[in-house]
Amino acid sequence: MGHLSIGRIDEDKKQGRIGKVIVSPEYRGKGYGRHMIQLISTYAFQHLELETVTLGVFDFNTGAIRCYENAGFTIDRYFKNHRPFEDEWWSLYEMSLNKYT
């Protein structure tokens, strides 16, 4: 159905980062991505004892942005022209979810 990871765990800041989120095309738009994000966030808060989980998403990936927002994430920052790709620059939203909100 999909894959994701959590890494960049900073025990002092009690923070981790979700990355490499992939949902198979046949499962997109059906709530599975949101469920995956909710499960990894719960794991991070309950088992890893983190207080904040972050992620980055390119601004053109509107389906993923909606998925993360539906899972409770909010946009913190916008990085215009963050990463070059072929003949263009991609912009990025930085999003986070706090255990206590």
Side-chain angles (χ1 to χ4, degrees):
M1 141 165 97
H3 167 86
L4 53 71
S5 66
I6 188 161
R8 296 189 197 174
I9 294 172
D10 185 325
E11 293 178 5
D12 293 330
K13 292 182 179 180
K14 296 188 180 288
Q15 182 172 301
R17 186 165 182 85
I18 293 174
K20 299 174 184 73
V21 179
I22 301 167
V23 178
S24 297
E26 64 268 25
Y27 293 102
R28 293 180 190 159
K30 299 179 181 175
Y32 292 105
R34 178 183 46 81
H35 189 64
M36 289 168 54
I37 295 296
Q38 288 172 328
L39 285 172
I40 197 75
S41 298
T42 298
Y43 180 83
F45 296 147
Q46 292 181 358
H47 298 284
L48 300 177
E49 299 180 356
L50 302 180
E51 293 179 1
T52 305
V53 178
T54 67
L55 58 82
V57 59
F58 292 113
D59 65 351
F60 57 81
N61 195 345
T62 56
I65 294 165
R66 188 171 47 256
C67 170
Y68 302 144
E69 288 176 332
N70 288 338
F73 280 75
T74 58
I75 295 173
D76 297 322
R77 296 178 68 188
Y78 181 68
F79 296 96
K80 187 165 179 62
N81 299 327
H82 179 72
R83 180 172 295 164
F85 181 78
E86 295 180 356
D87 294 333
E88 58 189 19
W89 283 84
W90 289 1
S91 299
L92 179 92
Y93 287 112
E94 182 70 21
M95 301 181 78
S96 67
L97 177 65
N98 187 283
K99 179 179 182 176
Y100 303 109
T101 56

